[in-house]
């Protein structure tokens, strides 16, 4: 119920002078889905607590709350006045825009910035710094206090680390020798080598790069480098922890790190480790108060390899989540027991988590952020990695840094990347620029590059059309005229290999034949064919069950349909039902025409962390029917016993079997939003774009969807196609973190 009379007849700008008119307008925005009820409630709360609060202040409060809900850390008053309609979610999913309420542009068209700022001066509601007011005004940026505090905390922590300089006194000669041992000599600039040098020099570092640029390879060599410098100086091995935002991302990094460490060539580093040999007795590798004690094998190289960690955890587990609270066990008073922390998929880390992470780091601890700056930002508020890497393309290395890099790596930086005015932060950021996965023959890589170009609209559209029409072996472009087009069913069931050149045949990967693209039929047939049988005594071998689950989960990762929206015929909800029906028509699943929620083969996505079950938001499991003896001891026929199999999420390869009844926060995942796919890769990815404009459709979303594809990509456009408009719309999250 409204706290104020509803006055539809009032002119839009009357809402700037009268709170009753303002709340009447806010009610209409809420009813249409343009504004959240929570945003309106926040403004109403302030109006009740401070009756003399002016209408422009209450409007700003509602919009600041709404901006936070959309992922912005604050409301930028100046930008809002320049483009008022961007302050709301316009248009929301499912809005026909018939008989719309007045837009923000009609309300704010005549409001001057100085007048708005003057209205935002109430001492009980808005402050300009530390205090306890619910809002903070910093220049033209209006914050909810908690997020002003988070942003300031991040800025202060990073600045303190950058200003403290190098954390170790290793000379450049030793560093250069170690880098030369880890990286083969090259005539061209090796950005992985430069990234390791910069990260070894600074207690805070960022390594960014697109898919296939070698971020994991770089960080493994960085860890070998740091341990070599520590052990070679006679110090104990560094306490290194690896973390990622989600269980899925952690599992992927765990698997990748383990493979990289085992194959890493370290013999040439042996001469640099002799100091640790001499002091082995007096300098224990691990301090006795640590939670984990490592026992190194014989020889300096084996000890070095053992000192490079392979276990990856989630940030929530690392910090020590506490149930029913936003706080963590580790904080400034109880810092993390580590020397180096590496965070992968850092683009997914929101401002609140980043503030908590920095707060929990010990003063001399190193932090290395790893991620793709061009991917979608976190689901929650903030775009920390994107803000930090805003100048990464240009390098902006000072002459001092450039000369030091040349001395350390033996390679000169391009003159265009030197900048006498480069900021401290610029010196700690390295961008990997060469993709080893997507070469010039890869349509996936070429399309991702075309989408990401900063070019005028016509040139960009022409580049994208050129890629889609080129006939790349790994790229298919499917156009659906209506939501009744059966081509979608062919795609999700079989993979529609016929849409690829040569039907996907003839491709190789590292000399081995690459199987043509598949759809969901593949994992469902594998599920049936590979199912183990119970023994004569009715017992089921657990190892055989785990092997079966691993096989099915791997097969399921061969294909995934990604989409932008949740609602409507082209959203997750509509597509999941459509795909379920298509698979049932093919006889691949049996849901009783949709009457049964749980059935063999149902893929599910965990939508919120469940620490009791050890499942994290983003984990994917498959419902499997465990083999049963034909009948029980009393002759009663037994039905299938359904369990949901999840990867353990720690890289161990173990399987978690969970009763369906214990899963409270899961959804069917034949179709998945691009946001939920972050941190994942699929052999064949189908990216479906809806047929109507939507603010969710952005360059970052399209790029992220494209780069989830490992070997095959099907780009699906519906209706008249929204790809040209989407790639010109950028996620411009408002914050003060990127301000120099």
């Amino acid at each position: 119920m409204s706290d104020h009379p509803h006055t539809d007849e009032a002119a839009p700008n009357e809402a700037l002078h009268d709170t009753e008119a303002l709340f009447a307008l806010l009610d209409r925005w809420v009813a249409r889905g343009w504004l959240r009820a929570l945003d309106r409630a926040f403004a109403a709360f302030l109006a009740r607590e401070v009756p003399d609060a002016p209408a422009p202040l209450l409007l700003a409060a509602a919009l600041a709350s709404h901006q936070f809900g959309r992922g912005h850390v604050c409301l930028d008053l100046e930008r809002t006045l320049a483009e008022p309609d961007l302050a709301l979610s316009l248009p929301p999913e499912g809005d026909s825009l018939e008989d719309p309420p007045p837009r923000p542009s009609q309300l704010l068209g005549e409001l001057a910035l100085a007048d708005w700022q003057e209205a935002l001066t109430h001492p009980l509601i808005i402050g300009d710094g530390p205090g306890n007011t619910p809002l903070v005004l910093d220049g033209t940026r209006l914050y909810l206090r908690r997020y002003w505090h988070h942003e300031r905390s991040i800025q202060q922590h990073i600045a303190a680390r950058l200003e403290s300089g190098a954390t170790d006194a290793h000379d450049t000669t030793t560093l250069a020798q170690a880098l030369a041992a880890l990286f083969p000599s090259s005539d061209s600039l090796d950005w992985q080598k430069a990234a390791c040098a910069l990260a070894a020099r600074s207690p805070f570092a960022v390594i960014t790069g697109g898919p296939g640029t070698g971020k994991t390879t770089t960080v493994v060599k960085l860890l070998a480098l740091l341990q070599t410098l520590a052990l070679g100086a006679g110090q104990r091995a560094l306490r290194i922890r690896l973390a990622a935002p989600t269980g899925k991302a952690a599992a992927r990094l765990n698997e990748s790190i383990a493979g990289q460490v085992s194959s890493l060539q370290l013999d040439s580093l042996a001469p640099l480790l002799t100091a640790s040999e001499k002091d082995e007795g007096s300098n224990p590798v691990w301090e006795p108060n640590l939670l984990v004690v490592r026992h190194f094998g014989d020889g300096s190289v084996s000890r070095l390899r053992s000192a490079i960690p392979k276990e990856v955890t989630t940030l929530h587990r690392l910090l020590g989540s506490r149930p029913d609270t936003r706080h963590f066990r580790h904080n400034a008073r109880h810092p993390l027991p580590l020397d180096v922390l590496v965070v992968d998929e850092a683009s997914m880390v929101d401002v609140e988590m980043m503030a908590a992470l920095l707060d929990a780091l010990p003063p001399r601890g190193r932090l290395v952020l790893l991620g793709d700056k061009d991917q979608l930002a976190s689901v929650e508020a903030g775009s920390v990695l994107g803000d930090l890497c805003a100048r990464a393309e240009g390098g902006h290395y000072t002459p001092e840094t450039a000369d030091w890099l040349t001395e350390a790596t033996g390679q000169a930086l391009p003159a265009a990347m030197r900048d006498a005015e480069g900021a401290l932060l610029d010196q700690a950021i390295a961008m990997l620029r060469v993709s080893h996965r997507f070469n010039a023959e890869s349509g996936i890589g070429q399309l991702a590059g075309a989408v990401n170009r900063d070019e005028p609209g016509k040139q960009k559209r022409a580049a994208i059309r050129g890629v889609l029409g080129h006939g790349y072996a790994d790229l298919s472009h499917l156009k659906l005229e209506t939501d009744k087009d059966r081509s979608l069913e062919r795609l999700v069931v079989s993979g529609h290999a016929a849409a690829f050149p040569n039907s996907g045949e003839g491709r190789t990967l590292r000399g081995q034949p690459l199987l043509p693209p598949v759809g969901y039929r593949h994992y469902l047939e594998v599920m049936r064919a590979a199912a183990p049988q119970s023994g004569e005594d009715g017992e089921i071998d657990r190892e055989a069950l785990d092997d079966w689950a691993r096989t099915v989960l791997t097969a399921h990762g061969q294909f995934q349909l990604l989409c932008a929206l949740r609602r409507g015929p082209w959203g997750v909800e509509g597509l999941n039902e459509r795909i379920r029906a298509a698979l049932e028509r093919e006889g691949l699943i049996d849901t009783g025409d949709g009457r049964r929620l749980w059935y063999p083969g149902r893929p599910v996505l965990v939508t919120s962390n469940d620490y009791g079950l050890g499942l994290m938001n983003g984990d994917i499991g498959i419902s499997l029917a465990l083999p049963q003896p034909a009948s029980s001891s009393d002759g009663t026929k037994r039905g299938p016993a359904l369990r949901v199999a999840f990867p353990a999420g720690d890289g161990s390869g173990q399987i978690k079997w969970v009763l369906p009844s214990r899963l409270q926060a899961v959804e069917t995942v034949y179709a998945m939003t691009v946001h939920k796919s972050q941190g994942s890769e699929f052999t064949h990815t189908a990216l479906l774009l809806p047929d109507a404009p939507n603010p969710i459709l952005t360059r970052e979303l399209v790029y992220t969807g494209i780069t989830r594809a490992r070997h095959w990509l099907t780009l699906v456009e519906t209706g008249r196609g929204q790809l040209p408009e989407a790639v010109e719309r950028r996620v411009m999250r408002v914050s003060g973190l990127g301000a120099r």
Side-chain angles (χ1 to χ4, degrees), residues 497 503-509 512-518 522 558 683-684 711-712:
S503 295
E505 299 283 354
R507 291 186 65 200
T508 60
L509 177 66
Q512 298 298 315
L514 193 62
L515 293 177
V518 299
H522 174 68
Q558 298 297 299
T683 303
H684 178 198
H711 300 313
W712 307 98

Side-chain angles (χ1 to χ4, degrees), residues 194-218:
C196 283
L198 289 169
R201 185 191 191 209
S202 174
F204 173 80
V206 180
I207 300 175
T208 186
T213 53
K215 295 186 290 295
T216 305
T217 301
T218 303

